[in-house]
């Protein structure tokens, strides 16, 4: 059985938590004691309804304020597929948490309130989904019950969204009219919207063809960031030297020529091991141990690649940046850059432009960035870094910035190319 | 790729990140199914080398003998170092006040011993078998969860965690709790145990034992940990444990499931969550787990 990770994005009143509750409830994934717990928590409410949102808002302060602050993960399974739901906050203040949640997803559900149509939040969530390279978008037009289940309202919103999507890099958009509150077109087909002949949301999630996380880069060249060197140094395994890591994209076979980056030294693969078993080939996203035919200087932080498809290696890197710290970023500031398992110091040489998250306008002449700002930047690194453009390869094109003094992760980078 | 292969590879990757990023990690090992699964994953991550960390057990003194024997036997079989620290000692040395009364448990005192042990060995990372599907506060926690010098989790100041890039940089005195099987469900763990043929303590399978019925739950009389009171009814039943933790707060379930197949069938059919069925300590309040994590619990 395969696994689909998807994120739900919506703002405070779009009914995001209700939708997740509905998916879990109608697919019978909520257990009796969990339901009892939320029934207890909602006892005494005037309208006597059970608030399905309480299933996902796991923190005391979230329940108090009725909003989602940080990402929560929920798990459910149908006979067809396993799902990880990444429940992300919609409020602009928590954009960095949404980015955290979106980074590993293959699909995003963008919720739109049928009464409101496309709003600022829709534009921001869609931009983030597109920057993070999420290949599939589902536009779920919610609260159809509050607009008389009108086909015209739905069609207008589809047209509005298609207009927005034209400016974004998304490969596939699917539109579904739903009512999370009543369960229309979520798991069960709606009888109130006979004009809709597409799939229900769950049918769509169960049947959509998705590349696995790592092979979202199917066809991408072999990439293997070295995490750890296994050297038992015992008498019978005196010469054993295995490079442990996870294949982040592509395929490796014994006998393949490989290049070690950033040094550029070359060798060939002598053996591939998983838990002591020898294989002739391995593919992403397997965690393996590689052995090379010759002695090469390799340690954690090096990137092994197949020599027939080399990545870029450079000390000046251009990237899209999502700034995630309350302390502002200024041109000239220094950070630690982490790409794969490699870390090097870097400084921000230039802010090429900032991106207005609502109008998608490029703003030039910006000298600093505040929390949740998106911008295109140029970095100068202390050591050469090897990477792929993010839109070609998520695993070797994604990077983070770490503040050297607080040690906190302060930026997410989608690398674009050499500057 | 099958989802179990994906989850396995993700967990091995996380374990190796711990090895690559920290100087003094430890793997929290209790003899329960989740930490046994972690050990199995560590074997896959690091053999034929040694583990780059010891196994660490914080023993409340109220554990099932079967789990302790299993723990010692496993550590011995794989030839890895096991460190055990006792809540009993912390109570004695620090003159801690032990909870008393009808449903008293030492489970909360574990945190003191854990924090002392972290200090004693200067551990900078502790790997744990917690899963996000267990409980709603856990559903919010990062894979690399940075804790301050008091072990506290601050849910409002979690670091962003993107792709498979984990940031384990910390200041001296802080430590990181790492959860490699965050994305596994209870059923995933059982399916994996079956696929990999992983041995478990006998407690997980149906057996007959003496119990007392208290507040509708079946509590083990083993070791004399729970003192029977007048209105407790003593019974002998065929049961198994869905989770194996401290005797004082882990309830048994009536079950005839004597094999892995039967256990998996039972879990697939259940309408009650794992912690809801077995853990008394989570049922104290809506935010019991969140509060314990803020206090340094793993």
């Amino acid at each position: 059985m395969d696994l689909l990770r998807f994120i739900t994005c919506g703002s405070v009143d779009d009914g995001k938590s209700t939708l997740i509750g509905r998916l879990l409830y109608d697919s019978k994934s909520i257990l009796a004691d969990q339901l009892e717990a939320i029934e207890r928590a909602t006892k005494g409410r005037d309208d006597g309804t059970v608030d399905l949102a309480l299933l996902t808002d796991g923190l005391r302060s979230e329940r108090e304020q009725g909003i989602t602050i940080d990402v929560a993960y929920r798990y459910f399974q149908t006979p067809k597929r396993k799902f990880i739901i990444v429940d992300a906050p919609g409020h602009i203040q928590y954009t960095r948490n949404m980015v955290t949640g979106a980074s590993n997803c293959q699909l995003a559900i963008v919720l739109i309130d049928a009464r409101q149509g496309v709003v600022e939040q829709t534009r921001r969530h869609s931009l983030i989904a597109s920057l993070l390279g999420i290949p599939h978008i589902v536009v779920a037009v919610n609260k159809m019950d509050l607009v008389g289940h009108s086909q015209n309202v739905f069609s207008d919103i589809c047209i509005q969204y298609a207009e927005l999507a034209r400016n974004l890099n998304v490969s596939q958009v699917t539109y579904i009219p739903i009512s999370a509150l009543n369960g229309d077109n979520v798991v069960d087909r709606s009888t109130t919207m006979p004009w809709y002949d597409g799939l229900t949301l769950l049918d769509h999630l169960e049947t959509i063809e998705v590349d696995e996380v790592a092979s979202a880069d199917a066809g991408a060249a072999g990439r293997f960031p070295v995490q750890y060197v296994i050297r038992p140094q015992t008498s019978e395994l005196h010469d054993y030297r295995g490079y442990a890591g996870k294949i982040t994209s592509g395929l490796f076979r014994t006998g393949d020529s490989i290049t070690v980056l950033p040094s550029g030294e070359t060798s060939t693969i002598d053996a591939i091991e998983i838990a002591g078993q020898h294989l002739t080939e391995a593919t992403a996203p397997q965690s393996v141990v590689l052995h090379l035919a010759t002695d090469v200087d390799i340690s954690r932080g090096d990137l092994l690649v197949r020599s027939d498809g080399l990545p870029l290696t450079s000390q000046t890197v251009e990237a899209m940046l999502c700034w995630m710290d309350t302390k502002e970023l200024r041109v000239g500031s220094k950070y630690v850059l982490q790409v794969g398992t490699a870390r090097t110091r870097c400084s921000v040489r230039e802010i090429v432009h900032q991106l207005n998250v609502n109008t998608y306008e490029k703003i030039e002449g910006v000298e600093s960035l505040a929390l949740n700002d998106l911008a295109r930047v140029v970095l100068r690194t202390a050591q050469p870094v090897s990477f792929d453009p993010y839109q070609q390869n998520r695993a070797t094109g994604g990077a983070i910035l770490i503040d050297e003094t607080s040690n906190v992760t302060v930026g997410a980078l989608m690398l674009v190319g050499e500057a | 790729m099958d989802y179990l292969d994906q989850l396995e590879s993700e967990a091995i990757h996380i374990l190796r990140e711990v090895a690559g990023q920290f100087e003094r990690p430890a793997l929290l090992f209790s003899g329960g199914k989740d930490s046994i699964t972690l050990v199995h994953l560590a074997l896959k991550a690091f053999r034929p080398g040694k583990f780059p960390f010891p196994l660490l057990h914080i023993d409340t003194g109220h554990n099932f003998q079967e789990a302790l024997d299993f723990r010692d036997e496993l550590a011995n079989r794989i030839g890895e170092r096991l460190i055990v620290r006792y809540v009993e000692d912390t109570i004695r040395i620090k003159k801690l006040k032990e909870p008393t009364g009808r449903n008293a448990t030492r489970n909360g005192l574990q945190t003191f011993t854990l924090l002392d042990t972290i200090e004693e060995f200067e551990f900078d990372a502790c790997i744990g078998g917690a899963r996000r599907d267990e409980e709603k506060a856990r559903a919010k926690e990062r894979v690399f969860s940075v804790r301050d010098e008091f072990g506290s989790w601050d849910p409002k100041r979690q670091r962003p965690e993107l792709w498979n890039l984990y940031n384990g940089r910390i200041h001296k005195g802080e430590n990181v709790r790492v959860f490699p099987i965050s994305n596994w469900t209870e059923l995933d763990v059982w399916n994996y145990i079956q696929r990999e043929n992983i041995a478990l303590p006998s407690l997980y399978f149906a057996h007959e034992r003496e119990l007392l019925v208290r507040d509708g739950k079946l509590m083990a009389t083993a070791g004399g940990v729970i003192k029977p009171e007048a209105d407790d009814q003593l019974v002998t039943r065929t049961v198994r444990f869905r989770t194996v933790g401290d005797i004082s707060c882990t309830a048994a379930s009536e079950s005839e499931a004597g094999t892995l197949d039967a256990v998996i069938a039972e879990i697939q059919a259940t309408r009650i969550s794992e912690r809801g069925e077995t853990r008394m300590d989570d049922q104290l309040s809506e935010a019991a787990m969140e509060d314990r994590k803020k206090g340094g619990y793993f």
Side-chain angles (χ1 to χ4, degrees), chain A residues 125-347:
Chain A
H125 297 157
S126 302
L127 175 63
I128 290 167
S130 132
L131 285 175
L132 282 164
I134 297 177
H136 305 280
I137 304 278
V138 175
V139 175
V141 181
N142 191 25
K143 306 198 182 180
M144 287 301 292
D145 49 314
L146 299 183
V147 295
H149 303 104
S150 155
Q151 182 173 12
N152 285 342
V153 171
F154 177 70
S155 305
D156 286 349
I157 291 172
C158 295
I159 293 165
Q160 281 176 31
Y161 193 88
E163 176 64 32
L164 167 168
R166 236 197 304 279
N167 299 308
L168 298 175
N169 177 29
V170 289
S171 53
Q172 195 200 342
V173 185
T174 305
Y175 301 91
I176 305 177
I178 65 169
S179 163
L181 190 68
N182 300 331
D184 289 325
N185 289 336
V186 178
V187 171
D188 301 315
R189 175 156 288 283
S190 167
T191 52
T192 52
M193 289 176 274
W195 46 265
Y196 175 73
D197 57 8
L199 298 175
T200 66
L201 180 61
L202 185 64
D203 282 339
H204 181 69
L205 296 173
E206 282 184 330
T207 53
I208 188 170
E209 276 194 42
V210 283
D211 300 321
E212 283 153 15
V213 179
S215 61
D217 317 307
R223 301 284 183 260
F224 182 84
V226 175
Q227 292 184 273
Y228 185 74
V229 182
I230 297 177
R231 286 197 309 134
Q233 293 175 298
T234 55
S235 48
E236 69 266 36
L237 291 167
H238 190 70
D239 295 324
Y240 186 103
R241 192 180 175 83
Y243 302 106
K246 181 171 170 174
I247 300 174
T248 55
S249 65
L251 161 85
F252 288 90
R253 287 198 187 92
T254 50
D256 279 350
S257 300
I258 60 105
T259 302
V260 182
L261 294 167
S263 75
E265 287 195 75
T266 57
S267 185
T268 53
I269 297 177
D270 198 28
I272 303 172
E273 258 186 281
I274 293 185
Q277 307 260 6
H278 284 261
L279 313 171
T280 53
E281 67 171 56
T283 59
Q286 287 180 298
S287 284
V288 300
V289 176
L290 297 183
H291 297 265
L292 301 184
T294 52
D295 275 335
V296 200
D297 177 16
I298 295 174
S299 54
R300 177 178 168 84
D302 286 331
L303 178 66
L304 305 191
V305 305
R306 266 170 55 147
S307 303
D308 58 5
L310 296 180
L312 302 167
T313 298
S314 176
Q315 283 187 266
T316 48
V317 181
E318 192 157 344
M320 284 306 301
L321 166 68
C322 174
W323 186 247
M324 302 172 133
D325 200 24
T326 46
K327 198 165 69 182
E328 65 180 15
L329 169 139
R330 297 190 154 274
V331 173
S333 301
K334 292 186 177 60
Y335 302 97
V336 174
L337 173 71
Q338 181 176 342
V339 189
T341 54
R343 282 187 185 155
T344 177
R345 298 183 73 203
C346 72
S347 70

Side-chain angles (χ1 to χ4, degrees), chain A residues 1-6 75-84 106-107 202-212, chain B residues 3:
Chain A
M1 192 181 295
D2 68 357
L3 180 63
L4 175 72
R5 298 185 204 223
F6 67 91
Y75 303 82
F76 79 106
Q77 180 169 3
T78 67
K80 293 186 184 140
R81 194 169 251 173
K82 272 185 75 79
F83 298 96
I84 300 180
Q106 298 133 300
L107 181 146
L202 185 64
D203 282 339
H204 181 69
L205 296 173
E206 282 184 330
T207 53
I208 188 170
E209 276 194 42
V210 283
D211 300 321
E212 283 153 15
Chain B
Y3 76 93

Side-chain angles (χ1 to χ4, degrees), chain B residues 64-125:
Chain B
F64 288 97
Q65 193 57 45
E66 292 93 327
L68 298 178
D69 292 346
F70 189 93
R71 173 197 75 186
D72 295 342
E73 191 270 324
L74 177 63
N76 194 36
R77 173 158 47 89
I78 62 175
E80 296 290 346
R81 182 176 171 215
L82 170 69
I83 298 169
V84 182
R85 288 293 177 269
Y86 300 91
V87 172
E88 191 78 49
D89 292 340
T90 317
I91 293 173
R92 190 167 38 78
I93 296 164
K94 298 212 154 161
K95 302 197 166 38
L96 296 183
K97 173 125 178 59
E98 232 189 304
T100 51
R102 182 173 156 84
N103 290 321
T105 173
R106 282 181 176 174
N107 211 33
L109 296 182
Q110 277 184 94
T111 303
F112 293 90
T113 314
L114 174 62
L115 295 180
D116 286 353
T117 311
I118 288 172
E119 230 174 271
E120 178 188 350
F121 292 93
E122 296 178 55
F123 289 132
D124 48 9

Side-chain angles (χ1 to χ4, degrees), chain A residues 32-33 60 70 75 212 285, chain B residues 1 9 140 183 271 273 291:
Chain A
D33 58 314
R60 191 196 303 270
D70 208 337
Y75 303 82
E212 283 153 15
Chain B
M1 188 187 249
S9 179
K140 293 268 166 185
N183 286 323
R271 299 302 303 152
S273 73
D291 291 342

